[in-house]
Amino acid sequence: MKSVRLILPCIILAVALSPFFPTVGRAASQEELFEKIKLLEMQIQELKEIKAQQNKSEEKVQHCMKAVGTEKFCACLAEALPGDIGFEQYVHVIVASPVESRNDSRKRGEQVSVEAIHAARDKCIQK
């Protein structure tokens, strides 16, 4: 009776794992394996980038909390600011005079960043 109880889980395990092992007549080619490896490498890279963004966001919240101390505002700001803008840059742009921060001599990319910073601030103040 004990052998019957052991056989059933073994059969279930074998059936469950069978898709992961190629059968003798259906061996995966090297090209298919390389494609799967490339796909996994891309997914790993994407996960690393997501983790880096999360770390940047957490860092923004921590810096903001040290300066402002309002959790809701800081969480909103960390989410609303563009990924490449740190809290220090946010403070610099916000503290600068409107003429300084919106100077026409700036590059277009910097002007977009300044506008995004002001938009993030306005959004979070309203919350």
Side-chain angles (χ1 to χ4, degrees):
M1 190 66 170
K2 287 185 180 181
S3 62
V4 173
R5 283 191 223 165
L6 291 176
I7 292 174
L8 185 58
C10 290
I11 292 172
I12 292 172
L13 182 63
V15 170
L17 294 177
S18 64
F20 298 108
F21 298 101
T23 59
V24 175
R26 191 186 65 150
S29 70
Q30 280 188 333
E31 286 181 22
E32 290 173 337
L33 290 175
F34 284 134
E35 288 299 317
K36 289 179 182 179
I37 290 171
K38 286 180 185 178
L39 179 63
L40 288 172
E41 288 173 344
M42 288 175 17
Q43 291 173 339
I44 289 170
Q45 185 60 35
E46 289 174 5
L47 288 173
K48 285 180 180 179
E49 290 171 5
I50 290 170
K51 182 65 176 170
Q53 288 297 326
Q54 288 174 340
N55 289 342
K56 286 181 183 179
S57 181
E58 289 172 10
E59 185 177 302
K60 287 179 195 178
V61 171
Q62 290 173 355
H63 288 154
C64 179
M65 285 297 292
K66 287 179 185 176
V68 178
T70 306
E71 190 173 339
K72 189 174 179 180
F73 176 78
C74 291
C76 174
L77 194 63
E79 182 182 317
L81 284 174
D84 59 337
I85 305 290
F87 185 72
E88 295 84 3
Q89 188 175 359
Y90 163 80
V91 170
H92 177 75
V93 169
I94 294 301
V95 173
S97 69
V99 174
E100 244 179 79
S101 65
R102 298 183 192 270
N103 189 350
D104 290 339
S105 66
R106 290 182 180 259
K107 296 177 191 170
R108 177 70 183 138
E110 291 175 359
Q111 184 64 31
V112 170
S113 295
V114 168
E115 291 171 2
I117 289 170
H118 282 279
R121 178 183 175 273
D122 294 343
K123 172 186 172 187
C124 295
I125 285 177
Q126 291 176 358
K127 285 187 175 185

